[in-house]
Amino acid sequence: MELSYLILLILAIIYVPFYIWVWRSPQAAKYGLAKYGPCVMIKTKYGTGLMDRLSKYKRLWKFFGAFSLVVSVGLMIFIILIIAVGVMNLSNSLSSPGIGLEYALAIPGLNPLLPLWYGILGLIVAMVVHELAHGIQTRANSMRVDSTGVLYGVVPLGAFVEPNEEDIKKSTRREKLDLYSAGISMNFITAAATFFIFAMLMLGNVSSSYGDTTAVYQITKDSPAYDAGIPAGALIELVGGEEYFYLDGFELHPYWNPGDKVSVIYLTEDGQHSVDIRWGLFIERISPNSPADGKLKEKTFIRSINGVNIYGSTEFLNFMQKTEPNTQAVIEYITLDGEEYTVELKMGDNGGIGYIGIFTSTSGMNFTTPNIMLDTGRNPIYGAESMTDSISHMLSYVSGPFNGFSPLPQSVHWWYDVPMEGAFWMLISAFYWIFWLNIMLGVSNAIPAYPFDGGFVFQGGLSALLERLGMKDHKRREDLTSNIASSLSFIMIFLLILVIAAVVL
């Protein structure tokens, strides 16, 4: 059994008798413990004094409520679109191997994405500012806060602020919307503030003496580069005696062909190294039902397409940009054992250019330059040329931890000239994870489903809309909106679980 599953099993065994005791013992309330569905609420009064002091600025919090509602509705639409895209891509997700159950658990150190200490720090900050905003908005609207605390179920699931139920019932719809949307917007304000600190103030003053040198930021397992021992973070100096420029490829190819074994000289933090590997466009994976499916083979090198030599990913992308859909392509490729083959296929359509259907790298390496890596780390829309590109780039930036970015991979830190190197990168990582976890908590709470904040915002917004459309009967309107919100909650939670299960299992 994997360690992550074993830890979860042990935690579950410990939790069950604890939950039963809280459920049945009259002493539990004395310690601030209460059953909440399958979870346990650990109630305290921590933070209520601070909420009282900050809530005195009522005009500020009224404006903040209007701002929060706009942010929450925008994020609600965004997360619905994300879930819809996930559902539409279910077939692709199901056909790919899952990333593992541990990725679905927001447990630092257990989830491979979340480093232990940075993850704990980020989660604490995200939960505290989220619940503090709820509490302040509650008090600013003259509602009492009965308790604050932590929701626990096998593992800590989050913090909470418990407003007085009677006060909530007496409050106006606008006051409820201000209350429920406050945490979402506060997470995004915190994320924006920490992004400004690490991306603008800190990374904004960083430079690299290696500048535009070809740099390896990712290595594919079981590829020629991986087997040769070239690590992520290496700087490529010479390939076959020539300089290789990531953005332009080779200037000359005097004596060797793509897929040939050549000498590669590269630089790491501990010095210069030399290895002999096959260099060329390496086919890592082939898309099912694509033009390449059944024609080309994985773990091989493309030598040429229609007589044009392809030495790596840069040349391949440049070549494909000039192709047209539904045209014939004659492809020469070579295996790792040196066997050569020629196939012919009809290219598909990829937005008006040719499409083969292969996932490639250069000998198992993904390239960048220190300057491009730095610009990407401090600008989520770096290189975007349209609104669609900007959205795609921002999504890629937020998904960076799946590829080892936080905001730059640890393996590339040595490329850059920074003061007090160890402390500098520790601060960068701390601010990044606070940023990232605030984004995640804010987006997840915008889901229009109970018990997320978005479920209550959706119900309140729908009630306001129906009232404007002429439904004046308060009880009838609230019953209808409650039923619709409950039904939507079931649908959204089901789809969310479906998408997550398809990805992780």
Side-chain angles (χ1 to χ4, degrees), residues 286-293 355:
I286 296 174
S287 295
N289 303 315
S290 68
D293 192 13
Y355 166 71

mmCIF file of all heavy atoms in Angstrom, residues 286-293 355:
data_model
loop_
_atom_site.group_PDB
_atom_site.id
_atom_site.type_symbol
_atom_site.label_atom_id
_atom_site.label_comp_id
_atom_site.label_asym_id
_atom_site.label_seq_id
_atom_site.Cartn_x
_atom_site.Cartn_y
_atom_site.Cartn_z
ATOM 1 N N ILE A 286 1.381 9.440 -28.867
ATOM 2 C CA ILE A 286 0.557 9.635 -30.060
ATOM 3 C C ILE A 286 -0.903 9.697 -29.649
ATOM 4 O O ILE A 286 -1.381 8.864 -28.878
ATOM 5 C CB ILE A 286 0.776 8.491 -31.074
ATOM 6 C CG1 ILE A 286 2.227 8.510 -31.573
ATOM 7 C CG2 ILE A 286 -0.203 8.612 -32.251
ATOM 8 C CD1 ILE A 286 2.587 7.350 -32.466
ATOM 9 N N SER A 287 -1.619 10.714 -30.136
ATOM 10 C CA SER A 287 -3.035 10.871 -29.797
ATOM 11 C C SER A 287 -3.859 9.770 -30.458
ATOM 12 O O SER A 287 -3.685 9.488 -31.647
ATOM 13 C CB SER A 287 -3.556 12.227 -30.272
ATOM 14 O OG SER A 287 -2.919 13.272 -29.597
ATOM 15 N N PRO A 288 -4.770 9.148 -29.685
ATOM 16 C CA PRO A 288 -5.654 8.132 -30.280
ATOM 17 C C PRO A 288 -6.497 8.732 -31.408
ATOM 18 O O PRO A 288 -6.935 9.883 -31.324
ATOM 19 C CB PRO A 288 -6.538 7.694 -29.099
ATOM 20 C CG PRO A 288 -5.768 8.088 -27.872
ATOM 21 C CD PRO A 288 -5.003 9.323 -28.242
ATOM 22 N N ASN A 289 -6.700 7.959 -32.449
ATOM 23 C CA ASN A 289 -7.540 8.346 -33.594
ATOM 24 C C ASN A 289 -7.030 9.585 -34.331
ATOM 25 O O ASN A 289 -7.792 10.278 -35.006
ATOM 26 C CB ASN A 289 -8.988 8.593 -33.138
ATOM 27 C CG ASN A 289 -9.589 7.394 -32.437
ATOM 28 O OD1 ASN A 289 -9.447 6.261 -32.905
ATOM 29 N ND2 ASN A 289 -10.246 7.624 -31.310
ATOM 30 N N SER A 290 -5.752 9.876 -34.186
ATOM 31 C CA SER A 290 -5.139 10.982 -34.923
ATOM 32 C C SER A 290 -4.524 10.452 -36.213
ATOM 33 O O SER A 290 -4.403 9.234 -36.402
ATOM 34 C CB SER A 290 -4.058 11.638 -34.068
ATOM 35 O OG SER A 290 -2.963 10.740 -33.884
ATOM 36 N N PRO A 291 -4.108 11.339 -37.132
ATOM 37 C CA PRO A 291 -3.460 10.862 -38.369
ATOM 38 C C PRO A 291 -2.230 9.987 -38.111
ATOM 39 O O PRO A 291 -1.933 9.079 -38.898
ATOM 40 C CB PRO A 291 -3.070 12.164 -39.079
ATOM 41 C CG PRO A 291 -4.082 13.160 -38.599
ATOM 42 C CD PRO A 291 -4.340 12.791 -37.167
ATOM 43 N N ALA A 292 -1.524 10.262 -36.992
ATOM 44 C CA ALA A 292 -0.315 9.485 -36.689
ATOM 45 C C ALA A 292 -0.616 8.124 -36.082
ATOM 46 O O ALA A 292 0.238 7.231 -36.096
ATOM 47 C CB ALA A 292 0.578 10.275 -35.740
ATOM 48 N N ASP A 293 -1.841 7.943 -35.550
ATOM 49 C CA ASP A 293 -2.194 6.690 -34.880
ATOM 50 C C ASP A 293 -2.167 5.536 -35.879
ATOM 51 O O ASP A 293 -2.867 5.545 -36.884
ATOM 52 C CB ASP A 293 -3.591 6.825 -34.263
ATOM 53 C CG ASP A 293 -3.905 5.685 -33.304
ATOM 54 O OD1 ASP A 293 -2.987 4.943 -32.939
ATOM 55 O OD2 ASP A 293 -5.087 5.553 -32.929
ATOM 56 N N TYR A 355 -2.156 18.964 -38.992
ATOM 57 C CA TYR A 355 -2.154 18.317 -37.672
ATOM 58 C C TYR A 355 -1.766 16.857 -37.853
ATOM 59 O O TYR A 355 -2.323 16.153 -38.703
ATOM 60 C CB TYR A 355 -3.543 18.439 -37.052
ATOM 61 C CG TYR A 355 -3.785 17.550 -35.855
ATOM 62 C CD1 TYR A 355 -3.172 17.798 -34.643
ATOM 63 C CD2 TYR A 355 -4.654 16.457 -35.950
ATOM 64 C CE1 TYR A 355 -3.396 16.989 -33.538
ATOM 65 C CE2 TYR A 355 -4.902 15.640 -34.854
ATOM 66 C CZ TYR A 355 -4.271 15.906 -33.652
ATOM 67 O OH TYR A 355 -4.514 15.111 -32.578
#
